[in-house]
Amino acid sequence: MIWQQIYDPFGNMVISTLLAAIPVVVMLVALGFLHIKAHIAAGLGLLAAVLVAVLAYGMPFGMAGKAAMLGGFTGLLPIGWIVLNIIFLQQLAEQNGSFKILQASLSGITDDRRLQLLLIAFCFGAFFEGAAGFGTPVAVTAGILIGLGFSPLAASGLSLIANTAPVAFGALGTPVITLAKVHGYDLMEVTAMIGRQLPFFSLLVPFWLIWAFAGRKAMMEIWPAILVTGLSFAIPQYLVSNFIGPELVDIIAAIVSMASLILFLRVWQPKKIWTSPSLKGHETDGGEAKAAAPVEKYSRAELVRAWTPWAILTVFVFVWGLPSVKTFLNNLYSPKFPIEGLHNLIMKVPPVVPKAHPEAAVYVLNLLSATGTGILLAAIVGALIMKYKPSEIVKTFGRTFWLVRYSLMTIVLMLALGTLTRYSGTDTTLGLAFANTGVFYPFFGTLMGWIGVAMTGSDTASNVLFGGMQRVAAEQLGLSPNLMGAANSSGGVMGKMIDAQSIVVASTATRWFNHEGDILRYVFFHSIALACLVGLYVTMQAYVWPFTLMVK
């Protein structure tokens, strides 16, 4: 039996929109205001989505369940598979002690606090955002900064500000990959569009970071180093996103930026060394700055061994991302499973599409070509190089799975929710309503991405929730769907610094417990200001020449 989507089931767009928003509101309120754990909040949102789809939109219950099931499978593979295996590699590095060597290798390069921030919070944080995401960069960089003597507010707040521009391509491109898979965007096209938006902010954020820490005058004292850092990140970010794909954008850009800054500091040093470990104007910013621990020296051989697993990761992910390799692996094993009772049985109709057509519902088990499989092999090779025994590797993998079990559950439920809203048509209702902002939509659509990340703590989750809405609204207004899909992700990155989960991670990493409110108050202005700038930039891409040339 074919079921036709209905976008205004009550003949009143206000009522239909309010009902369509219930699942999103339930989840966001549970996360942002009631402080319910993420997997429980996602489950409540999914339950609300099923009730709205069945009772308000008339979707058959069996179809609703199968749409959620398809989303859950997609959450496990490829999305959850990436998260599990990258955290597995990180755990191996931490247990082996090589991660401590990485910290020391970064900490001993310069005594200037501003330059340490650029190197650790921005460059190294971007590397971990690209490799792992999901709070890892904030935890790592805030912990390193505290070890160097930074005050708790400085370490927490600045790590959050720095962890913005790389977020859209975090966890090996997971937010972009999810956006494309759940809402039908062309992966390379939307990746390229994000890569035409974020490089400007990758150049701006390092300047913003140092200004927030030390003030305008101190920022200008090291502007050459900031410019080198930003440009050497922004240019690879553009090139990789536009010509290779989303998986390695942050990793390559971060490595280039780190190397460029380190090489630049060999030939240039500021006239004045900034040694204050506290934010300018916040010298008593709660929690005392501690003296930096002595930096232990390691041999070149030890440094090479510590960096080798991450170099192997880069190589494997790069190879797995090559179209020829993906095609070869898919030809070896990539079974397709049409979801019986759902595949081609849901009809999408005008005004969303020019002509009514059925929605496909096929799950592709591309286990061999999945990026997560490449990461797993890289982790195993790295573990053997780190001299782990096979039994120890297996035990560590088991512990990692237990460590991220709730994260995996959250991803599954989030993807189930997003997929159900797509097949039920509720995201289309929201998109049609949001299109009523007219010419201001590029700005407010960007802020919707910011709200999504601020409330869910994840650019991936925001893309799942609002990616479909952005597509529909853009098509109704005659804008590029790729522009607004990208804007959801690019605007969302600025919400990362104010989401509850990131702030808790920062306060925990710095051992500055029960001061989450102080951190939120400090970073909120930076978050909303940068989000508005992204909105203005997207608006110019939509309407103002020569920015419109970036949109295809």
Side-chain angles (χ1 to χ4, degrees):
M1 181 186 73
I2 293 179
W3 178 71
Q4 181 176 297
Q5 289 183 342
I6 303 171
Y7 309 124
D8 185 10
F10 291 90
N12 184 312
M13 204 58 188
V14 174
I15 296 175
S16 297
T17 301
L18 290 174
L19 284 169
I22 286 176
V24 176
V25 171
V26 166
M27 195 189 70
L28 297 185
V29 169
L31 272 176
F33 297 99
L34 302 180
H35 305 295
I36 295 174
K37 292 180 179 179
H39 62 284
I40 298 177
L44 292 174
L46 176 59
L47 177 60
V50 171
L51 293 175
V52 170
V54 174
L55 299 180
Y57 279 68
M59 186 180 192
F61 180 78
M63 283 187 173
K66 289 173 182 177
M69 179 185 70
L70 174 60
F73 283 147
T74 305
L76 282 176
L77 181 76
I79 310 304
W81 190 231
I82 291 174
V83 175
L84 172 62
N85 290 311
I86 196 64
I87 299 299
F88 173 47
L89 175 57
Q90 183 194 4
Q91 289 292 303
L92 289 168
E94 286 187 354
Q95 292 173 190
N96 175 262
S98 62
F99 189 73
K100 182 179 179 182
I101 299 177
L102 290 187
Q103 290 178 313
S105 68
L106 290 169
S107 305
I109 292 171
T110 177
D111 292 327
D112 191 288
R113 302 292 188 179
R114 299 164 296 181
L115 298 175
Q116 288 175 343
L117 268 180
L118 288 176
L119 186 63
I120 296 169
F122 185 79
C123 299
F124 198 49
F127 178 84
F128 270 93
E129 180 62 46
F134 299 95
T136 305
V138 171
V140 171
T141 58
I144 294 175
L145 292 176
I146 278 289
L148 290 174
F150 279 77
S151 66
L153 182 58
S156 301
L158 297 171
S159 293
L160 290 166
I161 293 173
N163 186 42
T164 48
V167 166
F169 296 110
L172 297 168
T174 297
V176 189
I177 294 170
T178 304
L179 176 67
K181 279 192 170 290
V182 174
H183 298 295
Y185 290 88
D186 181 277
L187 178 59
M188 279 305 301
E189 288 183 3
V190 76
T191 297
M193 186 63 70
I194 295 172
R196 296 174 202 141
Q197 293 172 347
L198 284 182
F200 172 77
F201 295 93
S202 297
L203 178 60
L204 174 64
V205 166
F207 283 94
W208 196 290
L209 177 70
I210 303 305
W211 165 69
F213 172 57
R216 183 188 61 82
K217 182 178 179 181
M219 176 193 74
M220 293 306 297
E221 291 174 353
I222 64 164
W223 72 264
I226 302 175
L227 185 63
V228 167
T229 303
L231 276 179
S232 60
F233 189 93
I235 293 173
Q237 186 181 48
Y238 167 77
L239 293 174
V240 177
S241 62
N242 276 262
F243 300 106
I244 297 178
E247 290 89 351
L248 285 174
V249 173
D250 283 347
I251 290 178
I252 292 176
I255 290 173
V256 172
S257 186
M258 275 191 285
S260 299
L261 179 58
I262 291 170
L263 291 174
F264 182 70
L265 293 178
R266 290 187 174 183
V267 298
W268 180 91
Q269 288 290 331
K271 294 180 180 179
K272 178 183 177 182
I273 302 297
W274 183 281
T275 58
S276 172
S278 299
L279 294 164
K280 185 176 177 61
H282 296 76
E283 283 71 17
T284 57
D285 54 2
E288 297 180 359
K290 301 177 182 178
V295 177
E296 188 173 349
K297 300 294 183 180
Y298 294 94
S299 67
R300 178 171 296 182
E302 290 174 312
L303 292 173
V304 169
R305 281 195 297 271
W307 280 100
T308 295
W310 303 100
I312 293 171
L313 169 68
T314 302
V315 172
F316 269 77
V317 173
F318 180 79
V319 171
W320 246 251
L322 296 174
S324 58
V325 174
K326 282 190 175 293
T327 300
F328 172 75
L329 294 173
N330 282 332
N331 288 336
L332 287 178
Y333 180 79
S334 184
K336 297 180 180 180
F337 300 96
I339 307 300
E340 186 178 351
L342 183 67
H343 179 54
N344 287 336
L345 294 179
I346 292 180
M347 191 69 65
K348 189 176 284 288
V349 298
V352 178
V353 290
K355 184 179 179 181
H357 69 80
E359 285 282 276
V362 180
Y363 179 69
V364 182
L365 185 62
N366 51 358
L367 181 62
L368 294 181
S369 66
T371 302
T373 302
I375 301 170
L376 175 61
L377 293 177
I380 292 172
V381 173
L384 294 175
I385 291 175
M386 288 185 281
K387 299 182 179 180
Y388 277 93
K389 297 177 182 178
S391 60
E392 294 174 330
I393 297 175
V394 172
K395 289 179 181 178
T396 301
F397 187 84
R399 285 196 296 269
T400 302
F401 179 81
W402 187 252
L403 177 67
V404 302
R405 65 192 187 281
Y406 291 122
S407 296
L408 295 177
M409 189 184 303
T410 301
I411 293 170
V412 167
L413 293 170
M414 286 281 193
L415 268 291
L417 169 59
T419 303
L420 176 55
T421 60
R422 173 187 169 189
Y423 282 96
S424 66
T426 55
D427 65 345
T428 302
T429 300
L430 292 173
L432 292 171
F434 215 65
N436 290 330
T437 55
V439 294
F440 299 106
Y441 179 71
F443 179 81
F444 287 105
T446 303
L447 289 187
M448 180 61 71
W450 173 77
I451 291 172
V453 176
M455 298 302 288
T456 66
S458 167
D459 203 42
T460 301
S462 179
N463 285 344
V464 169
L465 290 173
F466 300 130
M469 181 200 71
Q470 298 281 13
R471 185 187 186 98
V472 171
E475 289 171 345
Q476 292 297 306
L477 292 168
L479 298 170
S480 164
N482 287 326
L483 173 65
M484 293 314 303
N488 193 83
S489 201
S490 297
V493 305
M494 301 309 174
K496 187 69 175 173
M497 69 180 87
I498 62 169
D499 79 81
Q501 297 171 60
S502 293
I503 290 175
V504 170
V505 168
S507 66
T508 302
T510 56
R511 302 296 186 267
W512 205 36
F513 302 108
N514 301 318
H515 286 278
E516 290 81 4
D518 296 316
I519 299 172
L520 177 61
R521 284 191 291 272
Y522 172 68
V523 298
F524 188 83
F525 162 76
H526 303 288
S527 179
I528 186 63
L530 285 167
C532 288
L533 288 177
V534 178
L536 291 173
Y537 187 78
V538 172
T539 302
M540 289 190 293
Q541 283 188 303
Y543 303 123
V544 181
W545 188 89
F547 296 95
T548 52
L549 298 177
M550 303 179 192
V551 181
K552 294 182 180 179

